[in-house]
Amino acid sequence: MSDDTPKTAYKRVLLKISGEALMGDQGFGLHPPTVERIAREIQTVHEMGVEICMVIGGGNIFRGLQGSAQGMERTTADYMGMLATVMNALAMQGALEALGIHTRVISAITMNEVAEPYIRRRAVRHLEKKRVCIFAAGTGNPYFTTDTASALRANEMSCEAIFMGKNGVDGVYDKDPAKHDDAKRYDEVSYDDVLAKRLAVMDASAIALARDNDLPIIVFSLDEPGGFRGILAGEGTYTKVQG
């Protein structure tokens, strides 16, 4: 890290993005230029010396809850959703390694041919070696979302914050800004307020897990070029969920 590299607010973070973030303007699947753009955002933070791990949703390919709502057995639907997250993780790994960033896909479901199994101490060592770790297949259990997997892995990895990269919104609002012109963005909001007011940050289990371990959640726009790096350098627009 050179002397002119900005000092960072956090040394180790978990970046959570939705599967939908990878599909660009398409209604489904992966959009390679979008995957590459997000990889470049991660590259700028990696170059600051920050240790990064990631969790990516699978909603661009398959969402277990929706499959269940259409009559599919819930456990089967959730496992299919977990496999979708592995596909997204492999796509992001390819984009990051094309930029020269060493990356490991670590799956909660054993599939040795394409990903490492999740072993906490090994994953921590990867981070210490400045490799980006992408945690795939959620927690490996049905009925748990990738939000909960993010909070779980961030705590296990001793991350200092979870960064929630959102599409089309630059923080947490008191109401949907797409529907209400008078929606107001919070600069900071408590875990309890997020739960009580049902604010769209993460699911309740994930918020409770973050709260119980004093893990801050930074909600920011993934659409803003340089936004991820800017926040780590002490700039930018975002909402911080804590205390």
Side-chain angles (χ1 to χ4, degrees), residues 114-182:
V114 297
E116 290 186 8
Y118 177 72
I119 300 171
R120 189 189 69 83
R121 292 171 68 90
R122 182 188 291 178
V124 169
R125 187 65 179 137
H126 286 321
L127 291 175
E128 291 171 349
K129 291 182 176 180
K130 305 302 180 185
R131 297 166 182 159
V132 173
C133 290
I134 307 175
F135 297 115
T139 66
N141 301 288
Y143 296 96
F144 289 92
T145 67
T146 50
D147 283 350
T148 303
S150 299
L152 175 64
R153 296 295 186 237
N155 279 301
E156 289 180 302
M157 294 298 105
S158 301
C159 290
E160 297 168 349
I162 297 174
F163 277 69
M164 291 286 296
K166 297 284 189 178
N167 297 98
V169 63
D170 58 359
V172 181
Y173 285 76
D174 60 352
K175 60 186 80 171
D176 188 344
K179 298 178 181 178
H180 302 276
D181 293 336
D182 61 342

Side-chain angles (χ1 to χ4, degrees), residues 26-162:
Q26 303 173 153
F28 181 82
L30 287 157
H31 184 236
T34 299
V35 177
E36 181 183 349
R37 176 182 65 80
I38 295 172
R40 290 191 181 279
E41 293 289 315
I42 295 165
Q43 179 187 33
T44 63
V45 172
H46 185 265
E47 288 173 347
M48 297 171 76
V50 177
E51 296 171 3
I52 305 166
C53 45
M54 294 183 68
V55 170
I56 307 173
N60 57 318
I61 298 170
F62 187 86
R63 187 179 293 278
L65 202 55
Q66 290 177 352
S68 177
Q70 294 173 17
M72 186 177 291
E73 195 272 323
R74 174 64 188 271
T75 302
T76 299
D78 279 356
Y79 278 120
M80 291 173 66
M82 291 179 218
L83 296 178
T85 72
V86 177
M87 295 172 67
N88 285 337
L90 292 172
M92 183 58 67
Q93 179 184 44
L96 287 169
E97 294 199 333
L99 298 173
I101 300 171
H102 295 295
T103 309
R104 296 291 187 273
V105 172
I106 301 172
S107 173
I109 297 175
T110 303
M111 47 182 77
N112 292 330
E113 288 76 12
V114 297
E116 290 186 8
Y118 177 72
I119 300 171
R120 189 189 69 83
R121 292 171 68 90
R122 182 188 291 178
V124 169
R125 187 65 179 137
H126 286 321
L127 291 175
E128 291 171 349
K129 291 182 176 180
K130 305 302 180 185
R131 297 166 182 159
V132 173
C133 290
I134 307 175
F135 297 115
T139 66
N141 301 288
Y143 296 96
F144 289 92
T145 67
T146 50
D147 283 350
T148 303
S150 299
L152 175 64
R153 296 295 186 237
N155 279 301
E156 289 180 302
M157 294 298 105
S158 301
C159 290
E160 297 168 349
I162 297 174

Side-chain angles (χ1 to χ4, degrees), residues 9-16 50-53 150-151 153-155 157-164 191 202 210 213-219 228 231-232 240-242:
Y10 303 103
K11 298 297 184 184
R12 179 182 293 174
V13 301
L14 184 141
L15 173 64
K16 165 63 167 66
V50 177
E51 296 171 3
I52 305 166
C53 45
S150 299
R153 296 295 186 237
N155 279 301
M157 294 298 105
S158 301
C159 290
E160 297 168 349
I162 297 174
F163 277 69
M164 291 286 296
Y191 304 111
M202 306 174 87
N213 293 278
D214 297 319
L215 181 66
I217 303 167
I218 310 295
V219 184
F228 188 20
I231 295 167
L232 282 157
K240 187 173 187 179
V241 182
Q242 63 179 4

